[in-house]
Amino acid sequence: MADRAQKILKTVFGYDTFRPLQAEVINSILEKKDTLVILPTGGGKSLCYQIPAMLFSSLTVVISPLIALMKDQVEQMQRVGVPAAMLNSALETGTYRHNIAQIKSGAARLLYVAPETLMMPRTMSLLAGTGVDCLAIDEAHCISEWGHDFRPEYRQLVQIRKQFPKAVCAAVTATATPRVRQDIQTTLGFKHTDTFIGSFNRENLYLQIVPKDNSLSRVLRLIQRFRDQAGIIYCATRRQVDELALILQDEGVSALPYHAGLSDTMRRTNQERFIRDDTCIIVATIAFGMGIDKPDVRFVIHYDMPKNIESYYQEIGRAGRDGLPADCLLLFSYGDVYKIKHFIQQKAPTERRAANTHLNAFLRFVEWPGCRRIPLLQYFGEAPANVKCGQCDNCQKGQKEQIDVTIFAQKFLSCVYRTGELFGAAHIINVLRGSKAQRVIQLKHQRLSTYGIGRDLSKKQWQSLSRQFLHQGLLIEDTDYGGFRLGPNARDVLKNKKKIWGWLDDDPADENDKAAPPDLKKRDIPGYDRDLFQLLKEKRKEIADQEKVPPYVVFADKTLMEMAAYFPQTEAGMLQIHGVGETKLSVYGSEFLNVIQLFCRKQGIPEKPKPVTKPIRKPPARVKKKRHEVIGETFSAGRTVAEIMEMFAVKRQTALDHLYRYWCEGNPLETDNFGIHLNLSSQQTDSVFTYFEKLGIRRLKPVFDALAGEIDYPDLFVLRLMFIAQNALMVDERVRR
C-alpha cells in the first residue's frame, strides 16, 4: 500500500516526496485506524484522505462545512484525473442527478457533502447502497464547543459513524488546542485512534504587528511590495469593508468587498473573480476565506483586531499555502480591544468567560516582547524549537529593552487595592492619571491617595503595563466582567520584596517601521526568469478561463516558477518540475512546453537540470508514443473507458478527449464497448444521433442547443464517440473538427 501511495503522489499529483506526517497519516487510514490529524494550513491535510480514497474499493465521503471548499477540491481532483463529486443545494438539477449516477455506478471515488446533506434520508439511502470505506471530517474543530467555530450539526456526525461501522474515520483540522482535540475524539467515539500533530509553525509567514495609525498608508505600502499579487484584508465590520474597498479602488488598486450584507450573487461573483485572478485583493469580514484553497495569497492584513488566536491563525494561514514567502500584518490599537470587550459583555456568562480567556491569550501574543512564534505555538500546545525565528518583526528589530518597572507596578497594584479590587484597566488608569471622568467622580475615587499619581505615563503605556502585570501573575482578571484583583505575587511587590521588569511602549510595536520583512530574495524564492514566468501565467490564465476553473487548479505559482528557473523543453524535463504529474502533463504539458520552447529559442537558453536528491525517473514509454495514441490503441484492444481511467489514472472526460483526438488523426475506433451506462432512453439517443448527422460532430454546442439542453455535455461527449464507432464517417469530417 505504501508503495502504491508513493506512486500516486508522483504520477497523479506531481510531488516527489510527502510533506511531514502525510505518509504516516495515510498508512494509518489505509490500516482502517480512526485518525485525528492536526496539520497547519497549507500542510497538505486533504492529500491525507484523497490518496487513500484512490486505493479503497468503496467510496470516501468528505464532510465539509462550506460549498466553496467542496467546489474547489472537486475541481482540483477532476483536473488530476480523480473522479470526485459533490452534493449540495447549490447544484443545478441536471448536475445533481449526474453526480448521483456517478456515485451509484461506483465511478466516483470521493463524495463531498455538508453535514446537513449527509444526514438527509435520501443521502443515507444512497450511501447504504454503495458502501463507504472512509468518512473524512474536514474542519473537525467545528465539532468542539471549545473551538472558535463550533457548529452543532457537526456533533451529530457520531450518528453517521454508527450507520457505517466498518468505515474508518479521519478527522482533520488546522486549529485545535489540546482541549479541542480531546473533545473531537470523545464526540466521535474514537477508541483505537492514532493522533498526528504537525508543527503549527508556518515558517514562510512573516508576522508583523504595528500601531493602528496611518493605517491606509501602511496598507498601500504593503500592497505596493506585492504589486499585482493576491492579498486578503480583514475588517471587523461590513461598513469598514465597503469604505476600505472604495478607497483602494480610488487609489487604483484592484480590490473588491466581501461580507454577509452583499447579495449572494455579488459575494459569489467577487469570490470567483479573486480566485480566478481577475482581481488582486479581497477586503472582507471573517465571512470570507474558510475553505478557500487559493495557494498564491502573498499577504494577509488584519485592519482590525481578531477576537482570538484561533481566528488569527486560521486567517493568516490563507497566505503562502504554496510554501513561498508571505506577509501577515496586524494593525493594533487598544480601541479595538475595548470594542471587543464591549461585545463580550453582551454575551451569556458561560460564553463571556470563554471569550475573555481567548481575548487575554491573544493580547499576550500581541504584547509579547520576544519572538512572536513563542506565544503563538505555546497556545496550541507546541514547544517552540527556537527562541528566535527571524521571521517576525520582534526578531528583526531585536529584543525589547527591559527596565525596572517596580515603581509603576506598585502604583498600579495599590490603585487596584484602594478601589476595592472591582474595576478593570480602563477605570484604574483613569484614577492613576487623574481623570475627571463622570464615573471616577461618582465613586469619589478622586479622593484616593492613588488619584493622579500616574500622570507621568500615557494611557497607552499604562495599558501595556497592565497586560504585562497580568501575564506576570501580579493581577487576576475576572473572566466574566474584566475586573482586576491582586494576584499571589502582588503583596511582595507592594512591600518592596520583589522587583518587576518590563518595558514601556506606546504600542505593542515601535512607531517606526524598522522591523521590515527580510528581502524577498533571501526568503527562499527561487531565482527564475520573470519574463518567462509572466508568459506562463498568461497561458495558465487563458487555459483556466477556457475551462472555467481557478488558475491554480491548472498549475500553482511554485510550478510556474520552477519552469521559469529550469526551462524544461522536453516531457522528461517537465516531469521533474514540482506539481507536474503524468496526468497534468498529458492534459497541459504541450501548451506550456510550447511557451517555454519558443521563449528559449529566442533567448538562446538551454534546459537546466533540476537538482535532485534521488535518481531521476526515467520518462514513461508514452514519451515516445503520444498519450492519446496509447489510450486509443488500448481502447481498440478491448479495454473499456472505466478500465482506461484506472490504468492511466485519468478522469472520464480526459479519456474521451484522448479517444476523440485519436480518431480525428485517422485511426479507427475498433470497438463500441465503452462500458458506460447512460441514463437515457433509446429515443433520446436516436435524437442525438440524428442531430449529429444534421449538424456534424465538430462542435457539441449546436447539438446541445438543438436539444434545448435536455442532454448534458458529459453525455454528449460519450454519445459522440458511440456515434463515431457505429458509423463510418468521412475523413473530411475528421479534418473539419
Side-chain angles (χ1 to χ4, degrees):
M1 277 296 196
D3 290 341
R4 293 175 66 189
Q6 181 70 48
K7 184 178 180 181
I8 289 172
L9 180 73
K10 179 57 183 176
T11 59
V12 176
F13 296 97
Y15 306 140
D16 291 316
T17 58
F18 285 108
R19 292 181 181 179
L21 294 181
Q22 280 184 328
E24 294 87 339
V25 171
I26 289 169
N27 288 335
S28 176
I29 294 173
L30 289 173
E31 291 172 5
K32 289 295 186 82
K33 296 178 181 177
D34 290 336
T35 305
L36 175 60
V37 184
I38 316 293
L39 289 177
T41 304
K45 297 182 295 296
S46 301
L47 208 69
C48 292
Y49 53 76
Q50 288 166 349
I51 287 181
M54 300 171 66
L55 295 172
F56 283 138
S57 57
S58 295
L59 192 65
T60 291
V61 178
V62 183
I63 297 101
S64 176
L66 287 181
I67 291 174
L69 175 61
M70 301 180 210
K71 183 174 181 292
D72 197 74
Q73 291 208 3
V74 168
E75 286 179 344
Q76 293 200 55
M77 287 295 93
Q78 291 174 345
R79 282 299 174 280
V80 295
V82 179
M86 63 179 177
L87 295 177
N88 59 60
S89 57
L91 294 176
E92 296 179 355
T93 303
T95 305
Y96 195 96
R97 290 175 178 170
H98 173 75
N99 290 353
I100 292 287
Q102 290 285 94
I103 297 163
K104 285 183 176 179
S105 68
R109 308 304 307 150
L110 285 147
L111 169 64
Y112 289 80
V113 293
E116 303 89 337
T117 303
L118 177 60
M119 289 181 282
M120 294 170 62
R122 63 180 179 181
T123 308
M124 295 301 294
S125 176
L126 171 68
L127 297 179
T130 61
V132 176
D133 264 328
C134 178
L135 286 169
I137 303 173
D138 206 0
E139 308 291 350
H141 60 269
C142 295
I143 290 173
S144 175
E145 292 177 326
W146 291 100
H148 67 288
D149 195 23
F150 171 60
R151 302 192 179 207
E153 61 271 18
Y154 259 67
R155 302 286 283 191
Q156 302 174 38
L157 292 177
V158 66
Q159 302 302 322
I160 305 300
R161 292 208 66 201
K162 293 178 181 178
Q163 298 293 320
F164 303 99
K166 294 184 179 179
V168 64
C169 185
V172 301
T173 180
T175 51
T177 62
R179 188 171 195 173
V180 171
R181 295 171 207 156
Q182 183 60 52
D183 199 18
I184 293 171
Q185 292 171 320
T186 302
T187 302
L188 291 176
F190 280 11
K191 294 180 180 178
H192 306 291
T193 180
D194 282 353
T195 300
F196 297 91
I197 303 173
S199 173
F200 287 86
N201 186 13
R202 295 284 308 283
E203 294 181 353
N204 62 315
L205 301 185
Y206 182 81
L207 309 181
Q208 185 177 18
I209 302 176
V210 301
K212 194 175 185 180
D213 53 18
N214 300 317
S215 300
L216 180 60
S217 63
R218 293 181 187 275
V219 169
L220 290 172
R221 200 179 312 153
L222 184 58
I223 291 173
Q224 183 62 28
R225 288 188 64 245
F226 292 100
R227 187 171 51 192
D228 298 328
Q229 299 191 63
I232 304 172
I233 304 175
Y234 285 106
C235 300
T237 65
R238 301 174 186 180
R239 180 180 176 181
Q240 183 67 74
V241 166
D242 290 334
E243 289 179 356
L244 183 57
L246 284 173
I247 291 171
L248 292 178
Q249 290 167 9
D250 289 343
E251 293 286 339
V253 176
S254 174
L256 290 172
Y258 185 103
H259 57 71
L262 300 174
S263 67
D264 290 345
T265 301
M266 182 64 73
R267 283 203 309 275
R268 279 197 302 271
T269 299
N270 289 357
Q271 179 171 295
E272 284 293 311
R273 290 185 64 186
F274 177 67
I275 290 174
R276 299 192 178 186
D277 290 354
D278 293 324
T279 192
C280 290
I281 295 167
I282 281 285
V283 185
T285 60
I286 59 172
F288 177 81
M290 186 173 180
I292 303 302
D293 195 25
K294 185 174 172 61
D296 57 351
V297 174
R298 294 272 68 87
F299 64 88
V300 167
I301 297 173
H302 281 94
Y303 203 79
D304 300 304
M305 190 180 113
K307 297 177 182 178
N308 51 59
I309 286 184
E310 288 97 337
S311 296
Y312 173 78
Y313 182 81
Q314 188 174 64
E315 287 155 15
I316 65 170
R318 286 158 195 152
R321 298 180 71 149
D322 52 10
L324 298 177
D327 280 20
C328 304
L329 175 67
L330 168 64
L331 304 178
F332 178 84
S333 80
Y334 283 100
D336 284 347
V337 177
Y338 291 132
K339 288 177 186 176
I340 293 173
K341 286 190 172 184
H342 173 74
F343 286 118
I344 290 175
Q345 291 305 314
Q346 316 307 314
K347 295 178 178 287
T350 52
E351 295 177 334
R352 192 185 304 149
R353 188 175 299 115
N356 272 316
T357 300
H358 285 148
L359 176 59
N360 287 336
F362 190 79
L363 287 173
R364 178 173 180 265
F365 161 71
V366 169
E367 295 168 335
W368 188 261
C371 175
R372 295 208 182 275
R373 279 172 166 76
I374 292 176
L376 188 64
L377 298 178
Q378 286 176 342
Y379 180 81
F380 291 107
E382 179 178 345
N386 301 302
V387 295
K388 189 173 182 179
C389 69
Q391 279 291 91
C392 74
D393 52 353
N394 283 351
C395 286
Q396 284 295 305
K397 66 190 177 189
Q399 187 80 13
K400 293 180 181 178
E401 182 181 355
Q402 290 200 332
I403 61 172
D404 185 344
V405 295
T406 306
I407 298 297
F408 301 125
Q410 289 171 336
K411 289 180 179 181
F412 197 94
L413 297 175
S414 179
C415 194
V416 168
Y417 177 74
R418 293 183 185 282
T419 54
E421 299 184 81
L422 296 171
F423 302 95
H427 184 76
I428 300 299
I429 293 169
N430 277 343
V431 175
L432 285 169
R433 299 193 72 248
S435 170
K436 294 181 181 179
Q438 184 179 2
R439 196 177 188 204
V440 173
I441 304 303
Q442 283 178 340
L443 294 170
K444 297 181 172 54
H445 285 170
Q446 79 277 18
R447 300 179 181 178
L448 298 176
S449 60
T450 53
Y451 181 77
I453 64 172
R455 289 191 178 97
D456 49 339
L457 295 185
S458 70
K459 184 177 180 180
K460 289 183 178 180
Q461 287 173 320
W462 276 120
Q463 287 168 335
S464 177
L465 284 171
S466 72
R467 308 306 306 178
Q468 295 176 52
F469 300 154
L470 185 67
H471 300 326
Q472 294 182 49
L474 303 180
L475 297 169
I476 298 172
E477 186 174 30
D478 184 286
T479 54
D480 286 336
Y481 300 101
F484 286 146
R485 67 179 189 272
L486 299 184
N489 300 323
R491 299 194 186 279
D492 285 345
V493 175
L494 289 170
K495 294 179 180 180
N496 284 318
K497 293 182 178 180
K498 182 180 178 67
K499 279 195 172 186
I500 300 300
W501 295 85
W503 58 94
L504 289 178
D505 277 338
D506 280 337
D507 270 289
D510 289 342
E511 289 296 329
N512 54 43
D513 279 322
K514 292 180 180 178
D519 183 36
L520 289 175
K521 293 181 180 179
K522 299 177 181 178
R523 296 171 67 193
D524 299 326
I525 288 187
Y528 59 91
D529 189 295
R530 295 185 181 275
D531 291 334
L532 176 55
F533 177 65
Q534 187 60 37
L535 291 173
L536 293 171
K537 283 185 69 175
E538 291 170 2
K539 172 56 68 175
R540 179 180 67 176
K541 186 70 168 72
E542 175 190 325
I543 294 171
D545 288 346
Q546 289 173 353
E547 299 189 355
K548 297 182 179 179
V549 297
Y552 60 80
V553 170
V554 179
F555 283 127
D557 274 7
K558 187 174 182 179
T559 301
L560 300 189
M561 286 178 181
E562 285 203 2
M563 290 181 188
Y566 300 111
F567 310 101
Q569 296 169 49
T570 63
E571 289 189 332
M574 284 288 273
L575 278 173
Q576 301 307 313
I577 300 299
H578 172 89
V580 181
E582 293 180 6
T583 304
K584 283 199 172 182
L585 179 63
S586 70
V587 178
Y588 304 121
S590 61
E591 295 191 67
F592 284 88
L593 274 172
N594 288 340
V595 174
I596 298 169
Q597 290 166 348
L598 180 61
F599 180 85
C600 290
R601 275 200 303 272
K602 289 181 177 179
Q603 303 294 328
I605 300 174
E607 181 172 324
K608 295 181 181 180
K610 180 184 175 182
V612 292
T613 55
K614 61 179 184 178
I616 298 176
R617 295 177 65 253
K618 292 182 179 180
R622 65 158 187 78
V623 173
K624 298 178 181 178
K625 183 176 287 188
K626 294 181 179 179
R627 180 83 157 187
H628 67 277
E629 294 174 340
V630 176
I631 287 178
E633 291 172 0
T634 304
F635 177 76
S636 293
R639 296 286 189 177
T640 66
V641 171
E643 290 171 330
I644 287 173
M645 288 165 59
E646 184 175 356
M647 290 171 64
F648 293 92
V650 297
K651 62 179 181 178
R652 190 178 80 171
Q653 186 58 53
T654 302
L656 297 176
D657 288 344
H658 281 312
L659 291 176
Y660 182 60
R661 183 180 176 188
Y662 177 74
W663 174 81
C664 286
E665 291 182 354
N667 302 300
L669 297 178
E670 297 182 356
T671 176
D672 59 0
N673 178 27
F674 287 86
I676 298 175
H677 172 70
L678 299 179
N679 192 24
L680 301 174
S681 66
S682 58
Q683 290 86 353
Q684 288 175 307
T685 301
D686 291 343
S687 179
V688 173
F689 283 3
T690 299
Y691 280 115
F692 279 149
E693 291 175 355
K694 291 181 180 179
L695 304 173
I697 62 172
R698 184 176 64 87
R699 296 173 62 241
L700 293 179
K701 190 175 188 305
V703 178
F704 179 83
D705 291 342
L707 293 163
E710 180 184 346
I711 312 297
D712 60 22
Y713 280 103
D715 288 347
L716 288 177
F717 279 108
V718 178
L719 290 170
R720 176 168 65 179
L721 285 174
M722 289 181 175
F723 182 74
I724 289 170
Q726 294 173 16
N727 296 271
L729 296 182
M730 294 185 299
V731 174
D732 65 340
E733 175 66 29
R734 292 174 178 151
V735 176
R736 289 189 292 108
R737 70 188 182 90

